[in-house]
Amino acid sequence: MRLVAILTGLLLLTAPVAHAEDGHDLWLRYRPVEATAGYAPAVIAPVADTPTLKVARAELERGLTGLVGAPSPQTGRVILIGTPASSPAIARLALPLQAAGDEGYLIRTLSVDGKATTVIAANRDVGALYGVYRYLSLIQTRQPVDNLNIASAPKVRLRMLNHWDNLDRSVERGYAGQSIWDWWKLPAYSADPRYVDYARANASIGVNGTVLNNVNAKSVSLTAPWIAKAGALADVFRPYGIKVYLTARFSSPIEIGGLKTADPRDPAVKAFWKAKADEIYKVIPDFGGFLVKANSEGQPGPQDYGATHVDGANTLADAIGSRGVVIWRAFVYSHEQPDDRAKQGYSEFKPFDGQFRDNVVIQVKNGAIDFQPREPFHPLFGAMPKSNLGMEFQITKEYLGFATHLAYLGPMYEETLRADTFAKGKGSTVAKVVEGALDGRKLTAMAGVANIGVDRNWSGSHFDQANWYVFGRLAWDPEASSRDIAADWARMTFSNDKRFVTPVVDMMMSSRETVVDYMTPLGLHHQMGRSHHYGPGPWVSGGERADWTSVYYAKAGANGVGFDRTAKGSNAVAQYAAPVGACFADLNCVDEKDLLWFHHLPWDYRLKSGQTLWDGLVTHYSRGVAGVDAMGETWGDMAPYVDAERHAQVAAFLKIQRSEAQWWRDASVSWFQTFSQRPLPAGENAPPLSLEAYQAMSFPYAPGI
Ligand code: BDP
């Protein structure tokens, strides 16, 4: 017994003090810096007694204590946080805070009363909170903090997460477990520490709004008991500068209002929405507003009554008034689109430019189809200068291998944001549209479909945390570099050792292209299984509606492959500004990465590499598989720099990804070969996949399981 006790005691003594690294801390992982790093503890000056400044101070104390040790008066260093209104000391400094706006901040090293002082100042409390997170990140990424002169302000006003969380806690297209909203226990129990950690994580990257529920909405979420639940969450998030929004099902006036119609022109319907908004604002005085998916994928909408998107959006916008916004999605998919689903959003919305109320944001997905691994930018960007146009990215990887495939989405977001719409000549980038800079718009927005669930690591995999992180950082500054952001994330989340940072950032930066290669190379798109969206889908499309399938989008046949969107085909290119459309339509100009998005080409078409299209396609698929092998090797080498627990999970997921990349490659190659009827290039092989073999590999997504 004694021996056991002694051994146990020894084990306890040698066990690491820190709790297991399960990823729950995200990038707010305030582990001690190396002694050599040269940071010293500091004293945090008292702050004004406001909820946000109190959390700012608490976060700073928590971060500094973890990173450099408990605040100590001995060092003679002081950190002063606040606004001129709340802190006479800051007011006396007369800092140039105009450029900081409502949410920005200044961080300066100054001498105040003879003491070296780091001043984190803002016009509003929330700016000071953002400044605190920035200051901590400097230490987390080992940058000098002794002589600071930083100014930062967000370029986009609404930086929001869209949760596709259902009221039964399932999450549509969520791969990180159940919804973190524990509706059953709300509003009584809102003290779940997860809610605070969620708010901290979001505030740390500047996210200032959250839509709690699924765009495929339920009316019941707008009834009193559910408004109270949302209100309890809003109370938790408020100090962190995060507003709560709700989705609104368009037919709510019928379903919960007892009306016979939801026609937005009907006075009783208008009155319903006004009363509903008033009811919500009584409970949530800073309610952000409604997000609406209407007349898309079977959801109800104004068109059901012969009314328009303008009628629908404006009715809700009038109900909300100056208190908030209505975010109306331009993702409209209906069965009626005759020739090309890529054209529907533009066709339905462009004619209404200038007719939406000032508090309406039209939320447009990054591409014209649907969150594919690669899409050219959506033609609505730049095409509606008299409307508020927001960006919708998907953070959850519905079409990029869920949580098990490693794909850093920063380069994908950046590719879209940097694309040039040419709407007002060269330099009219999508980022400039989203920032409102191109058309002088003030109400700007960027939304990300969240990848968050109850999994300990929040996102289902450690690397998917990076996608949440990069979304927030790009929403703050759509022109920031996804590589720099990846480096910050890797340092804050894992290690500052450059033997880790350099290879891992390189791996992250190429990871999305690797996924594109094994799933949808050369501009192919929508090749996944129709319902699960996980594996390759060519064979399961039999019997489905032709216009919803991989068959429809690939247009493969004996004569070639690809979707002709030139004037000879659907002419979707005409929805872009003239120079852009002309380039997409011109084989000498279009980027090969978008080739089969815009062109239907013969199998023997010559690629720039000199390969035929058929050979090149196969080469891309194989390159994708090789890319996953390379990631596996890189990650294997990282074991010395990463705790065993997180290292093992990433390694295991890379193995899954490896076998599924092969699955994608083999299925796609053997399917396309049935059309190309050409031999595989030298050195390549692919087992011909029967429907049965394909379905066996689809486990657990195969029909009937
Ligand atoms: C599609 C998803 C579907 C969503 C839809 C949307 O498969 O679950 O409801 O997008 O954005 O990609 O509304």
Side-chain angles (χ1 to χ4, degrees):
M1 271 312 277
R2 269 190 67 123
L3 188 65
V4 172
I6 292 168
L7 281 176
T8 317
L10 277 177
L11 271 177
L12 282 176
L13 280 176
T14 50
V17 197
H19 54 77
E21 292 262 3
D22 57 10
H24 191 77
D25 291 343
L26 295 160
W27 49 89
L28 301 177
R29 188 176 155 271
Y30 302 130
R31 298 291 186 277
V33 301
E34 319 69 47
T36 49
Y39 297 99
V43 170
I44 308 167
V47 295
D49 189 18
T50 70
T52 298
L53 287 176
K54 279 198 292 200
V55 298
R57 190 179 194 284
E59 188 74 30
L60 187 57
E61 188 162 337
R62 173 183 185 154
L64 288 179
T65 304
L67 289 160
V68 301
S72 142
Q74 267 84 48
T75 64
R77 291 158 190 265
V78 178
I79 303 182
L80 181 61
I81 322 168
T83 63
S86 65
S87 157
I90 289 184
R92 274 198 298 278
L93 295 172
L95 295 165
L97 274 167
Q98 306 80 305
D102 274 353
E103 294 178 292
Y105 54 82
L106 292 181
I107 308 179
R108 290 206 177 175
T109 312
L110 298 168
S111 173
V112 179
D113 301 333
K115 285 203 182 113
T117 304
T118 304
V119 182
I120 303 177
N123 292 315
R124 286 179 51 226
D125 290 355
V126 71
L129 176 63
Y130 292 148
V132 161
Y133 282 112
R134 175 70 178 278
Y135 178 77
L136 288 169
S137 77
L138 297 175
I139 302 178
Q140 289 178 281
T141 57
R142 307 294 188 268
Q143 298 176 57
V145 294
D146 283 341
N147 190 14
L148 295 174
N149 186 0
I150 296 175
S152 185
K155 293 184 184 163
V156 175
R157 203 168 116 195
L158 309 179
R159 306 174 298 280
M160 346 188 21
L161 289 185
N162 289 183
H163 286 265
W164 285 358
D165 294 16
N166 295 314
L167 308 184
D168 64 1
R169 292 191 80 182
S170 61
V171 180
E172 180 151 341
R173 313 303 180 185
Y175 316 106
Q178 282 192 304
S179 166
I180 58 170
W181 319 133
D182 195 347
W183 295 119
W184 186 249
K185 300 187 188 111
L186 288 164
Y189 180 62
S190 62
D192 185 336
R194 258 179 201 274
Y195 299 147
V196 169
D197 285 339
Y198 169 87
R200 290 174 55 235
N202 280 315
S204 77
I205 51 175
V207 167
N208 66 0
T210 179
V211 183
L212 299 178
N213 50 346
N214 194 352
V215 286
N216 297 317
K218 289 264 194 308
S219 305
V220 69
S221 68
L222 297 180
T223 57
W226 289 86
I227 295 170
K229 294 171 195 284
L233 290 174
D235 291 343
V236 178
F237 300 157
R238 192 167 293 114
Y240 296 87
I242 298 168
K243 284 187 180 179
V244 156
Y245 298 68
L246 293 170
T247 52
R249 183 167 162 86
F250 200 77
S251 48
S252 298
I254 303 171
E255 289 152 5
I256 57 169
L259 300 180
K260 292 235 155 39
T261 177
D263 186 334
R265 298 161 301 190
D266 186 301
V269 170
K270 287 180 197 275
F272 165 86
W273 285 114
K274 175 72 170 56
K276 190 48 75 182
D278 292 348
E279 182 187 350
I280 297 173
Y281 277 102
K282 266 199 201 101
V283 181
I284 312 174
D286 55 353
F287 178 59
F290 293 130
L291 170 66
V292 187
K293 171 176 178 178
N295 291 120
S296 175
E297 297 185 323
Q299 294 297 315
Q303 293 169 356
D304 303 349
Y305 307 94
T308 66
H309 289 297
V310 176
D311 298 323
N314 288 355
T315 288
L316 268 67
D318 290 343
I320 293 272
S322 59
R323 300 173 289 192
V325 301
V326 167
I327 302 174
W328 192 266
R329 298 176 86 221
F331 173 73
V332 281
Y333 255 18
S334 68
H335 294 285
E336 283 71 46
Q337 181 66 18
D339 59 343
D340 182 358
R341 290 179 62 189
K343 284 163 53 182
Q344 194 173 346
Y346 180 101
S347 308
E348 281 194 27
F349 279 85
K350 161 82 181 160
F352 295 132
D353 187 26
Q355 297 183 40
F356 292 99
R357 296 278 191 267
D358 286 347
N359 63 335
V360 171
V361 177
I362 306 300
Q363 184 166 294
V364 183
K365 287 190 182 181
N366 56 296
I369 297 279
D370 198 355
F371 294 142
Q372 294 301 292
R374 166 165 284 128
E375 295 196 34
F377 71 88
H378 199 298
L380 276 174
F381 290 110
M384 295 185 64
K386 289 181 280 183
S387 311
N388 304 317
L389 227 60
M391 168 65 80
E392 178 176 324
F393 283 126
Q394 197 177 42
I395 306 173
T396 190
K397 302 204 315 299
E398 176 181 356
Y399 299 98
L400 290 99
F402 297 4
T404 35
H405 293 208
L406 196 162
Y408 170 56
L409 301 181
M412 183 173 95
Y413 302 156
E414 185 177 282
E415 186 174 291
T416 304
L417 290 165
R418 295 195 178 183
D420 200 338
T421 70
F422 275 83
K424 291 197 171 155
K426 198 167 159 43
S428 309
T429 60
V430 172
K432 291 275 177 248
V433 177
V434 174
E435 290 165 12
L438 195 70
D439 305 306
R441 311 230 45 106
K442 294 272 176 301
L443 179 54
T444 54
M446 195 189 291
V449 179
N451 65 353
I452 296 162
V454 293
D455 274 13
R456 279 299 294 167
N457 67 26
W458 299 90
S459 302
S461 82
H462 298 297
F463 274 85
D464 279 334
Q465 298 176 354
N467 295 327
W468 177 8
Y469 181 82
V470 69
F471 165 76
R473 292 279 306 269
L474 285 173
W476 184 276
D477 180 3
E479 284 154 293
S481 140
S482 66
R483 177 176 282 274
D484 292 350
I485 296 170
D488 285 349
W489 176 81
R491 287 170 179 275
M492 292 160 81
T493 306
F494 285 110
S495 165
N496 273 284
D497 193 314
K498 71 173 191 310
R499 289 167 297 180
F500 175 85
V501 177
T502 308
V504 166
V505 170
D506 284 346
M507 174 179 90
M508 289 170 75
M509 291 304 290
S510 57
S511 59
R512 177 268 191 149
E513 200 63 43
T514 290
V515 174
V516 170
D517 271 335
Y518 65 72
M519 287 187 183
T520 53
L522 292 172
L524 285 172
H525 48 287
H526 215 287
Q527 294 301 292
M528 69 293 160
R530 156 84 172 81
S531 54
H532 54 69
H533 295 181
Y534 190 58
W539 284 277
V540 284
S541 33
E544 302 276 8
R545 287 183 55 95
D547 57 350
W548 290 77
T549 66
S550 49
V551 176
Y552 163 82
Y553 289 102
K555 300 259 186 284
N559 64 349
V561 62
F563 202 118
D564 188 352
R565 295 195 164 101
T566 69
K568 294 189 276 77
S570 77
N571 205 20
V573 293
Q575 295 186 332
Y576 290 92
V580 179
C583 180
F584 287 154
D586 177 357
L587 283 170
N588 293 315
C589 186
V590 67
D591 195 314
E592 272 187 359
K593 63 183 173 24
D594 296 326
L595 194 63
L596 303 176
W597 186 283
F598 291 113
H599 297 271
H600 182 84
L601 295 168
W603 295 105
D604 293 325
Y605 173 82
R606 285 283 156 195
L607 295 172
K608 294 203 176 90
S609 65
Q611 283 184 300
T612 63
L613 174 57
W614 166 244
D615 286 359
L617 201 57
V618 178
T619 304
H620 271 281
Y621 282 117
S622 299
R623 197 169 77 184
V625 179
V628 184
D629 277 334
M631 292 203 280
E633 275 165 36
T634 302
W635 189 250
D637 294 344
M638 295 303 110
Y641 313 107
V642 182
D643 50 283
E645 194 178 352
R646 288 188 298 167
H647 189 270
Q649 192 191 82
V650 174
F653 285 11
L654 281 166
K655 285 209 178 96
I656 298 174
Q657 185 175 6
R658 173 63 177 75
S659 70
E660 291 174 350
Q662 189 79 50
W663 169 32
W664 268 95
R665 179 208 171 270
D666 291 350
S668 308
V669 168
S670 60
W671 184 60
F672 283 126
Q673 198 176 24
T674 63
F675 299 105
S676 82
Q677 294 292 319
R678 278 154 179 76
L680 293 168
E684 299 277 0
N685 63 61
L689 280 189
S690 63
L691 175 58
E692 291 70 30
Y694 165 80
Q695 284 180 339
M697 293 175 82
S698 303
F699 177 83
Y701 300 100
I705 293 182

